[in-house]
């Protein structure tokens, strides 16, 4: 394992080095939070693919393939569909807004009265996304070094917090590009073909497994619909995803670069399901489906390759963890703390001070994420609550603001409250992991949004005029960045 350990250590050291390099570039709020809004198509595509394909998409995707066969691809596939929908239909308009958070977009659209409530919901979602990604370090480091769970979480989480705090989005962008390359080589180019060959090829796989393993809908129609509702729509409104859209150099980069990333996600989904199906042939009685990835890597891959593939799994977890962390800190600082403390006084908005403040929030949120990850056991329930609140509370006001001119601030606030409270109440009745809460919560939010919007005064014409100017990119508040990567 010495060679494998060397690969992992070099990889982790490289992540910290890039964090240090990114610190030298992040000299303003724009550079720190959105990489100066100047990523070109290649870096944008790579970092967007990295943020959405985390440990759940890699380890969990293989586990679903082990459990359900090719239809296990649907979870990651719906993530790719959501990214494609975001890129094709909404990303250009989102990029032209020149904001930093989803709540700022809601304030622009509805007149400045939706930010704090939506910020709290978004903060809870990004916090739990960061926590669940951080917990995944325990699984990976246990395979690598037989490490204690708490120590593994502290080690993996500290590295992510360190490079994210140092350079903000620039550090995360650079590390994500490396992570994207490592995942592509490790999972698609190495693990996928090796797993299929070790399983005897597709003919042998079909001979040894039940036919439902090769049924594209074998996982069940209701499950697929739930994935679409949670993950596809979740991709449209998550702060972690929008913050990457804000990094695009232009609306064309956001649209076409995101389309490339979404297509990559679809291929990644199929690859994970095939690897899991191959693992089922080789190891038909594993104690847990989620153990399929680690088992096939540990037992079937040659020295060196094994280290690279484990680095790919680590890269998948780190990319999601760092993206969720900076999103959580951005929302906490810009949407909650800055509003609760009141208006910023003249002279308080110097770029250096803003960088320092956002850096401090990343550090604070990072420590909180590590502590919660150590204490929390049932991460599936926690993440389900976060996603249900996100989709049930925020999907309708956000998409309504982008698509329906008649939507109003009272309608948006009522939709957030009604959708969120409905989801919480229904989870209490049906159970946290039930599918009904998000279904009914979303319908409640939609009905309340339409009814209250129609019953209240239309949004002020001046607010809508300013909104249309921002959507068209004619009211950019930041100077144009030079052409970059």
């Amino acid at each position: 394992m010495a060679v494998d350990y060397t690969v992992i250590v070099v990889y982790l050291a490289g992540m910290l080095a890039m964090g240090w390099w990114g610190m030298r570039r992040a000299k303003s709020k724009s550079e720190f939070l959105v990489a100066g809004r100047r990523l070109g198509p290649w870096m944008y595509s790579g970092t967007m693919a990295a943020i959405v394909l985390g440990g759940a998409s890699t380890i969990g995707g293989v586990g679903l393939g082990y459990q359900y066969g090719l239809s296990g691809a649907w979870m990651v596939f719906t993530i790719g569909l959501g990214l494609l929908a975001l890129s094709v239909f909404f990303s250009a308009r989102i990029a032209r807004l020149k904001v930093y958070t989803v709540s700022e977009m809601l304030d622009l659209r509805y007149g400045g009265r939706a930010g704090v409530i939506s910020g709290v919901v978004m903060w809870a979602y990004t916090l739990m996304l960061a926590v669940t990604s951080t917990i995944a370090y325990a699984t990976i480091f246990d395979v690598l070094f037989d490490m204690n769970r708490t120590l593994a979480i502290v080690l993996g989480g500290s590295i992510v917090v360190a490079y994210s705090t140092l350079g903000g989005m620039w550090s995360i962008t650079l590390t994500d590009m490396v992570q994207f390359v490592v995942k592509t080589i490790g999972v698609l180019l190495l693990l996928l073909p090796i797993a299929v060959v070790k399983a005897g090829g597709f003919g042998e796989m079909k001979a040894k497994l039940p036919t439902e393993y090769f049924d594209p809908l074998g996982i069940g129609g209701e499950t697929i619909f739930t994935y679409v509702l949670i993950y596809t729509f979740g991709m449209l409104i998550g702060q972690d995803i929008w913050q990457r859209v804000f990094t695009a150099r232009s609306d064309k980069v956001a649209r076409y670069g995101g389309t490339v990333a979404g297509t990559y996600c679809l291929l990644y989904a199929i690859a994970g399901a095939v690897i899991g199906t191959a693992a089922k042939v080789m190891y038909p009685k594993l104690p847990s489906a989620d153990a399929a990835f680690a088992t096939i890597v540990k037992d079937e891959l040659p020295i060196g390759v094994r280290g690279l593939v484990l680095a790919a799994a680590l890269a998948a977890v780190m990319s999601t963890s760092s993206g969720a962390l900076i999103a959580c800190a951005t929302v906490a600082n810009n949407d909650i703390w800055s509003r609760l403390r009141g208006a910023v006084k003249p002279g308080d908005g110097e770029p250096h001070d803003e960088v320092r403040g956002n850096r401090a929030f990343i550090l604070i949120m990072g420590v909180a994420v590590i502590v919660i990850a150590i204490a929390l056991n049932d991460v599936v329930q926690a993440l389900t609550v976060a996603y249900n609140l996100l989709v049930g509370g925020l999907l309708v006001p956000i998409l309504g603001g982008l698509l329906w001119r008649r939507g109003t601030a009272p309608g948006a606030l009522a939709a957030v409250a009604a959708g969120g409270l409905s989801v919480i109440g229904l989870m209490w009745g049906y159970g946290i992991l039930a599918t009904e809460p998000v279904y009914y919560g979303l319908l409640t939010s939609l009905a309340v949004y339409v009814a209250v919007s129609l019953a209240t005064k239309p949004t002020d014409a001046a607010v809508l005029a300013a909104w249309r100017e921002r959507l068209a990119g004619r009211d950019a508040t930041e100077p144009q960045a030079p052409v970059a990567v």
Side-chain angles (χ1 to χ4, degrees):
M1 291 288 288
V3 175
D4 298 324
Y5 292 159
T6 301
V7 171
I8 299 296
V9 170
V10 169
Y11 168 76
L12 294 176
M15 296 299 99
L16 291 174
M18 289 187 180
W20 182 262
W21 188 87
M23 182 177 67
R24 303 180 61 174
R25 300 197 65 165
K27 301 299 184 182
S28 68
K29 179 180 179 180
S30 176
E31 294 282 351
F32 191 82
L33 294 181
V34 291
R37 305 189 195 275
R38 55 195 179 110
L39 296 191
W42 293 110
M43 289 195 75
Y44 180 85
S45 298
T47 58
M48 183 61 86
I51 179 65
V52 300
L53 296 174
S57 300
T58 304
I59 299 171
V62 171
L64 287 171
Y66 182 88
Q67 189 173 359
Y68 297 104
L70 299 185
S71 67
W74 273 107
M75 184 188 77
V76 183
F77 203 84
T78 55
I79 291 174
L81 292 177
L83 186 52
L84 285 172
L86 174 71
S87 302
V88 173
F89 299 112
F90 301 108
S91 63
R93 282 180 283 178
I94 292 170
R96 288 194 293 263
L97 289 174
K98 302 294 184 184
V99 295
Y100 292 99
T101 68
V102 175
S103 295
E104 287 181 30
M105 167 262 168
L106 292 173
D107 279 349
L108 282 172
R109 169 59 181 82
Y110 295 112
R113 287 178 287 173
V116 175
I117 296 177
S118 61
V120 170
V121 175
M122 191 65 74
W123 174 78
Y125 158 72
T126 53
L127 178 71
M128 294 316 305
L129 185 61
V131 167
T132 53
S133 299
T134 302
I135 290 174
Y137 297 129
T139 301
I140 297 172
F141 283 112
D142 178 57
V143 174
L144 285 172
F145 308 115
D146 193 24
M147 187 178 291
N148 172 269
R149 177 183 184 273
T150 299
L151 182 59
I153 290 172
V154 171
L155 175 61
S158 297
I159 292 172
V160 170
V161 171
Y163 73 69
S164 300
T165 301
L166 286 173
M169 187 58 81
W170 266 122
S171 294
I172 293 171
T173 295
L174 295 170
T175 54
D176 275 1
M177 279 304 299
V178 174
Q179 289 159 357
F180 171 73
V181 172
V182 170
K183 280 192 286 191
T184 301
I185 296 174
V187 176
L188 296 184
L189 301 184
L190 292 176
L191 183 58
L192 175 61
I194 290 174
V196 172
V197 170
K198 291 283 188 177
F202 285 103
E204 188 69 13
M205 290 163 63
K206 286 186 176 181
K208 290 188 175 181
L209 293 174
T211 56
E212 55 263 28
Y213 264 72
F214 302 92
D215 180 359
L217 304 178
I219 199 170
E222 183 179 354
T223 299
I224 295 171
F225 181 76
T226 302
Y227 285 158
V228 170
L229 197 61
I230 293 177
Y231 296 114
T232 301
F233 285 109
M235 287 295 106
L236 299 180
I237 59 175
Q239 170 68 25
D240 51 325
I241 310 302
W242 276 42
Q243 199 156 344
R244 296 310 174 99
V245 176
F246 300 151
T247 66
R249 188 171 66 206
S250 67
D251 55 1
K252 290 183 179 180
V253 169
R255 181 185 292 114
Y256 296 115
T259 300
V260 171
T263 304
Y264 179 89
C265 291
L266 302 183
L267 297 175
Y268 201 88
I270 296 171
V274 171
I275 293 168
T277 304
K280 184 67 175 180
V281 173
M282 291 182 280
Y283 309 98
K285 296 183 179 180
L286 288 178
S288 167
D290 285 340
F293 181 89
T295 302
I296 196 171
V297 169
K298 191 173 183 179
D299 293 348
E300 302 297 336
L301 299 186
I303 295 173
V305 173
R306 180 171 49 201
L308 183 60
V309 173
L310 286 171
L314 195 57
V317 175
M318 283 187 160
S319 58
T320 299
S321 181
S322 59
L325 176 59
I326 193 171
C328 178
T330 302
V331 171
N333 187 22
N334 292 272
D335 292 338
I336 301 175
W337 172 245
S338 64
R339 296 168 193 263
L340 292 178
R341 70 176 183 176
V344 179
K345 297 178 182 179
D348 287 349
E350 295 298 323
H352 180 70
D353 292 337
E354 291 185 3
V355 170
R356 185 186 304 151
N358 282 290
R359 184 174 280 138
F361 265 86
I362 291 180
L363 180 60
I364 293 169
M365 291 297 104
V367 172
V369 164
I370 291 172
V371 171
I372 295 171
I374 292 172
L376 202 60
N377 290 319
D378 201 336
V379 297
V380 175
Q381 290 193 3
L383 190 60
T384 299
V385 171
Y387 261 109
N388 284 351
L389 284 173
L390 176 71
V391 175
L394 291 181
L395 179 66
V396 169
I398 292 171
L399 294 188
L402 290 170
L403 299 174
W404 192 38
R405 183 177 177 179
R406 188 60 180 82
T408 65
L413 290 171
V416 173
L421 292 174
S422 295
V423 165
I424 293 172
L426 290 167
M427 284 191 294
W428 182 272
Y430 284 99
I432 289 178
L433 299 180
T435 57
E436 288 86 355
V438 71
Y439 296 166
Y440 299 137
L442 190 56
L443 289 174
T444 301
S445 179
L446 177 60
V448 169
Y449 178 72
V450 172
V452 175
S453 292
L454 292 176
T456 53
K457 293 174 57 177
T459 303
D460 186 85
V463 172
L464 287 177
W467 167 253
R468 287 193 295 270
E469 288 293 304
R470 292 292 285 268
L471 279 180
R474 292 191 292 265
D475 188 25
T477 57
E478 296 175 324
Q480 293 295 314
V483 175
V485 288

